[in-house]
């Protein structure tokens, strides 16, 4: 980490990493600060991984604009970054005749937002397309542009492509404060020292309001965390090839049943306001709520077939829509700070934040240019990032060729997901190295099957220690304090 950069980005979630990649097109020295030990370790690590069509946001809001624009960008983005993305389409399902009017409202909203191909279908057609649907389905709104993506794959790919184009990342380096010259930001403070910069970009997710307030920006803006719990269903028991929504309520989009790029079916999320911004615990109440509400869409799912549960936190803000014709609170903030020159703020980036992320990055570049930043395009910028081999997706011939090149690809470590030692080692030595068990889990999908790491854990810890050249006692599940090994049990004095 140097003493000075042209741009410092605060936060390495999907928005921060895609912004870093977008700015790498220009002749800029860029640093991304991340308080966790890996990219995408907070909100980006635990969400629905959906690319929303854009019928849900209120017309005239920044959410609506960036949702539809971002949705259209994912085909090219996934091709350039070599990540898993598929347009599955989605259905908003009306159970009973009294919910059909709400589908019509959503369809009109979507058309005003510019969502392509929206179709209102009757219950019989919906059940023919998705046989698992509730027999009482009266109608459905179909959006062909909706899709699914490997969220963490997108974060890591964007970050790696940024690194390959000269961007620097500083992990376990928390933003503390800004350094000012008058009302202009000229640097940031971190526990590792001060860093000078011309521009600071706030992509801090749940802490975006805290960062804003350090600069005196938007003092009335507040982010409150909403916890969403999920259940992951054993794919041997139930699979789905699309995304199912209930008719939304004032609490949000409701409990979904949806597929993933990894082949699992997921039920969730709940929507619960919490105090603080860190409590991602699972609750008995949340799991019961999921079971009750998912039956409205798919009555036959049995949550006893759950192989994993998790929760994520969403950064819900209280920003009012800037369009005077729209009375709406809860819009995205993506703007130059009026109170502090040199600061670009992103705040309240909840759903559809993932979908909107490439459009947010694009908007940030435009704001920087309008604010006077010198953006000179680089002739050597390379948008292509090639992913590493995934053995379970290869043909037998491809597997054999890879094993001849590196025999470690022939050694299966995770039996449930068929992850090999070669894949694990490749991620440890990647441009953004995986240095913990969870970092490997997010990259390779090891430990996510039926045994939830029961078979592979000790072997993975051993591989991490060997490849990183550190003692086994240094290997962690995720952040500091989550070490697996405390001490040797044999010949231990107990001191």
């Amino acid at each position: 980490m140097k003493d000075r950069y042209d741009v410092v980005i605060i936060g390495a979630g999907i928005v921060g990493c895609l912004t870093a990649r977008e700015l790498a097109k220009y002749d800029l020295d860029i640093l991304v600060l991340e308080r966790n030990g890996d990219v995408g370790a907070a909100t980006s690590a635990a969400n629905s991984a959906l690319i929303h069509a854009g019928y849900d946001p209120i017309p005239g809001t920044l959410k609506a604009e960036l949702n539809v624009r971002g949705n259209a960008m994912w085909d090219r983005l996934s091709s350039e970054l070599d990540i898993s993305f598929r347009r599955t389409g989605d259905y908003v399902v009306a159970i009973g005749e009294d919910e059909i009017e709400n589908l019509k409202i959503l369809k009109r909203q979507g058309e005003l937002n510019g969502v392509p191909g929206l179709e209102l279908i009757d219950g019989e057609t919906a059940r023919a397309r998705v046989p698992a649907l509730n027999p009482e389905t009266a109608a459905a709104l179909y959006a062909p542009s909706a899709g699914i993506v490997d969220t963490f794959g997108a974060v890591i790919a964007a970050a790696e492509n940024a690194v390959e184009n000269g961007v620097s990342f500083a992990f376990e380096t928390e933003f503390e404060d800004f350094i000012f010259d008058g009302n202009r930001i000229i640097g940031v403070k971190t526990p590792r020292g001060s860093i000078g910069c011309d521009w600071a970009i706030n992509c801090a997710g749940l802490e975006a309001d805290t960062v804003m307030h350090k600069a005196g920006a938007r003092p009335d803006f507040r982010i409150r965390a909403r916890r969403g719990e999920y259940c992951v269903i054993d794919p041997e028991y139930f699979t789905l090839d699309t995304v199912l929504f209930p008719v939304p309520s004032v609490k949000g989009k409701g409990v979904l049943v949806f597929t993933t790029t990894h082949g699992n079916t997921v039920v969730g999320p709940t929507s619960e306001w919490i105090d603080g911004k860190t409590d991602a615990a699972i609750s008995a109440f949340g799991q019961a709520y999921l079971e009750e509400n998912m039956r409205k869409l798919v009555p036959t799912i049995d949550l006893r077939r759950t192989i994993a549960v998790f929760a994520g936190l969403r950064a819900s803000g209280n920003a009012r829509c800037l369009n005077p014709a729209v009375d709406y609170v809860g819009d995205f903030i993506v703007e130059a700070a009026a109170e502090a020159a040199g600061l670009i703020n992103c705040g309240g980036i909840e759903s559809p934040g993932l979908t909107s992320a490439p459009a947010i990055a694009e908007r940030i570049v435009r704001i920087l240019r309008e604010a006077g930043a010198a953006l000179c395009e680089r002739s050597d910028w390379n948008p292509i990032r090639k992913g590493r081999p995934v053995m379970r997706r290869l043909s037998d011939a491809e597997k054999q060729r890879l094993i001849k090149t590196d025999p470690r690809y022939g050694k299966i470590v995770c039996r449930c997901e068929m992850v090999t030692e070669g894949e694990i080692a490749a991620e440890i030595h990647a441009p953004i190295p995986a240095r913990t068990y969870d970092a490997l889990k997010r990259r390779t999908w090891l430990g996510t099957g039926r045994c939830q790491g029961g078979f592979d854990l000790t072997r993975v810890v051993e591989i991490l220690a060997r490849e990183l050249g550190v003692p086994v006692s240094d290997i962690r599940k995720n952040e500091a304090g989550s070490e697996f090994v405390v001490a040797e049990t044999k010949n231990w004095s107990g001191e």
Side-chain angles (χ1 to χ4, degrees), residues 391 395-406 409:
M391 287 293 279
S395 68
D396 288 344
E398 290 170 327
K399 290 175 182 176
Q400 290 303 316
R401 284 195 294 270
L402 189 57
I403 292 169
K404 285 183 179 179
T405 302
D406 185 343
Y409 282 97

Side-chain angles (χ1 to χ4, degrees), residues 444-464:
T444 67
W445 222 237
L446 63 79
T448 64
R450 285 182 176 178
C451 82
Q452 290 293 295
F455 177 80
D456 69 59
L457 177 60
T458 55
R459 183 72 179 118
V460 173
V461 168
E462 181 183 62
I463 294 169
L464 273 165

Side-chain angles (χ1 to χ4, degrees), residues 91-329:
Y91 296 87
V92 185
V93 181
I95 306 299
E97 299 290 331
D98 57 332
E99 291 190 337
I100 294 179
E101 186 58 37
N102 290 331
L103 295 186
K104 295 177 180 178
I105 293 171
L106 281 180
K107 185 172 185 289
R108 287 195 293 271
Q109 276 193 179
E111 289 167 347
L112 287 171
N113 291 343
V115 179
L118 290 173
E119 181 185 6
L120 194 60
I121 60 176
D122 60 32
E124 183 179 356
T125 303
R127 292 191 299 272
R129 293 186 186 181
V130 188
L133 272 178
N134 188 333
E136 296 181 14
T137 297
L141 176 64
Y142 175 62
S145 63
I148 57 174
V149 69
D150 178 352
T151 305
F152 192 78
V155 178
I156 189 65
E160 288 185 354
N161 189 231
V163 167
E164 289 163 350
N165 282 287
V167 173
S168 299
F169 281 74
F171 295 108
E172 298 183 342
T173 307
E174 187 167 6
F175 163 85
E176 292 182 332
D177 208 343
F178 291 109
I179 303 169
F180 282 90
D181 182 3
N183 77 327
R184 181 164 193 91
I185 289 172
I186 60 170
V188 298
K189 296 178 182 178
T190 80
R192 296 172 60 187
S194 296
I195 304 161
C197 65
D198 295 322
W199 302 92
I201 303 175
N202 173 11
C203 300
L206 286 159
E207 296 296 341
D209 56 344
T210 303
V211 174
M212 289 183 196
H213 299 161
K214 292 284 188 179
R218 282 190 175 257
D220 296 330
F221 177 68
R222 291 289 184 275
I223 287 175
R224 191 177 178 193
R226 277 194 301 157
R227 178 169 56 204
E229 298 183 36
Y230 298 83
C231 291
V232 182
I233 307 300
D234 187 341
E236 294 297 320
Y237 166 71
F238 182 87
T239 58
L240 187 72
D241 196 38
T242 190
V243 178
L244 305 177
F245 289 88
V247 172
S249 70
V250 293
K251 296 182 75 173
K253 296 181 176 72
V255 173
L256 291 61
V257 181
F258 58 96
T259 188
T260 71
T261 58
H262 300 283
N264 296 100
T265 297
V266 178
V267 174
T270 59
S271 181
E272 179 187 2
W273 294 109
I274 64 167
D275 295 326
K277 298 178 180 179
T278 59
D279 185 4
I282 301 298
S283 66
F285 170 81
Q287 298 302 297
Y289 181 88
L290 290 180
E291 184 164 18
E292 176 185 353
N293 283 270
M294 63 128 191
R295 295 192 186 284
K296 181 178 179 181
L297 293 175
V298 184
T300 57
I301 295 182
D302 184 352
L303 288 192
R304 289 176 297 181
R305 302 289 185 164
T306 296
I307 59 172
V309 294
F310 68 95
L313 302 180
R314 288 162 275 178
S316 296
N318 63 347
R320 182 170 293 278
C321 178
L322 296 179
N323 185 340
V326 179
D327 184 18
Y328 176 74
V329 176

Side-chain angles (χ1 to χ4, degrees), residues 1 3 23 56 110 135 192 197 211 242 268 272 295 345 349 407 413 422 469:
M1 190 170 70
D3 293 335
L23 285 173
D56 190 64
R192 296 172 60 187
C197 65
V211 174
T242 190
E272 179 187 2
R295 295 192 186 284
N345 279 320
I349 311 299
V413 176

